[in-house]
Amino acid sequence: SGFGRSASGPVGPGGMISDGEKLYPVRANIVRLWRDAGFEIGIGGYKHIWFYDTPYQDYVANVEKNEKAVKQILAEKNLPLRYFSYPFLNTGKTTEDKTQFENWLNNRGLRSVKYTFDNSEWMYSYAYDMARKDNDGNTMNETRAEFVDYMTKMTAHYEAYSQDMFGRDIAQTMVLTPSRLVADSFDEVFGMLEKRGYRFVSMDEAQRDTAYQT
């Protein structure tokens, strides 16, 4: 079965890299490192807010603010901005809101990225960073092992959803934060996925699966 590796690099709140007008130099340079390594940069909202309880116009304004910040970095290399990810994977309170917003995205040359493998790996990353700060190698090793086990269980969990909803293994996409833990566990986590029969494809290829039209 196919596995969608997100074509996006950092997809998140522009508030982490700018004040809405000026870029924070150090954090903006981290995005440039991802950009120059060949990852495509996408956006979420300037603030990480729920569409469900945010008025439509406020939600759009929040995305526009992030779009402005990130486009500054992409313009340096004449690169396009193509992808948007809903904060908290929440697409709004009504179908009408979602449809209206998706049309707004399309009119700006953006498309939304849908994730099927969600997880809370950031909690493991936080514990790992704290152990590293304390030079606690044993806790780091334990956290890394538990993280790999957790990701294996989460993979099986969402595979079961695919079978329940579609009766087959669909092309999948996964949320991961760019953390030291993910980097240090790269071989184990992605090796696990390959052993389960996955191969890596572009985001566009993964989302051509008809499941993403439901």
Side-chain angles (χ1 to χ4, degrees):
S1 55
F3 185 90
R5 179 172 68 87
S6 172
S8 305
V11 180
M16 296 295 290
I17 64 169
S18 81
D19 63 4
E21 296 293 335
K22 296 181 180 179
L23 296 172
Y24 302 141
V26 174
R27 292 182 176 182
N29 281 339
I30 293 174
V31 179
R32 291 185 178 99
L33 287 172
W34 280 76
R35 177 200 67 190
D36 295 345
F39 287 92
E40 186 163 353
I41 309 301
I43 60 170
Y46 180 80
K47 293 182 179 179
H48 209 60
I49 58 177
W50 289 81
F51 192 5
Y52 184 88
D53 54 12
T54 303
Y56 176 81
Q57 292 301 333
D58 292 347
Y59 193 80
V60 167
N62 185 57
V63 176
E64 283 184 312
K65 195 172 183 179
N66 196 11
E67 180 187 40
K68 180 179 179 181
V70 173
K71 275 190 170 181
Q72 294 180 59
I73 296 174
L74 295 179
E76 296 166 358
K77 298 286 185 176
N78 295 315
L79 294 172
L81 178 63
R82 299 197 302 159
Y83 292 109
F84 168 83
S85 175
Y86 287 95
F88 303 106
L89 309 184
N90 184 266
T91 59
K93 184 177 293 187
T94 66
T95 300
E96 290 74 20
D97 277 352
K98 178 185 176 183
T99 300
Q100 184 180 8
F101 181 71
E102 291 273 337
N103 289 336
W104 180 86
L105 287 176
N106 292 336
N107 289 336
R108 300 178 82 85
L110 293 167
R111 70 191 75 172
S112 61
V113 173
K114 284 85 172 179
Y115 293 109
T116 56
F117 281 11
D118 193 14
N119 58 84
S120 297
E121 53 80 21
W122 60 270
M123 291 190 288
Y124 289 86
S125 294
Y126 179 79
Y128 190 76
D129 287 344
M130 293 301 99
R132 184 174 180 272
K133 183 178 180 181
D134 294 337
N135 294 314
D136 186 348
N138 288 333
T139 299
M140 289 176 67
N141 290 335
E142 290 174 2
T143 303
R144 189 163 58 244
E146 290 182 12
F147 167 64
V148 174
D149 180 62
Y150 169 75
M151 294 303 294
T152 302
K153 290 176 179 177
M154 293 303 289
T155 300
H157 175 77
Y158 285 108
E159 285 175 342
Y161 270 154
S162 294
Q163 291 294 333
D164 288 345
M165 296 178 70
F166 303 106
R168 62 183 176 88
D169 291 322
I170 69 170
Q172 307 282 6
T173 57
M174 177 182 285
V175 176
L176 286 174
T177 53
S179 68
R180 185 174 293 276
L181 174 60
V182 170
D184 289 352
S185 308
F186 184 91
D187 288 343
E188 293 94 334
V189 172
F190 289 94
M192 173 272 293
L193 291 170
E194 289 179 337
K195 288 178 181 178
R196 297 178 79 93
Y198 292 100
R199 61 185 177 85
F200 295 93
V201 299
S202 70
M203 180 62 79
D204 284 348
E205 181 176 342
Q207 295 197 128
R208 279 198 290 270
D209 188 310
T210 54
Y212 287 89
Q213 304 308 311
T214 62

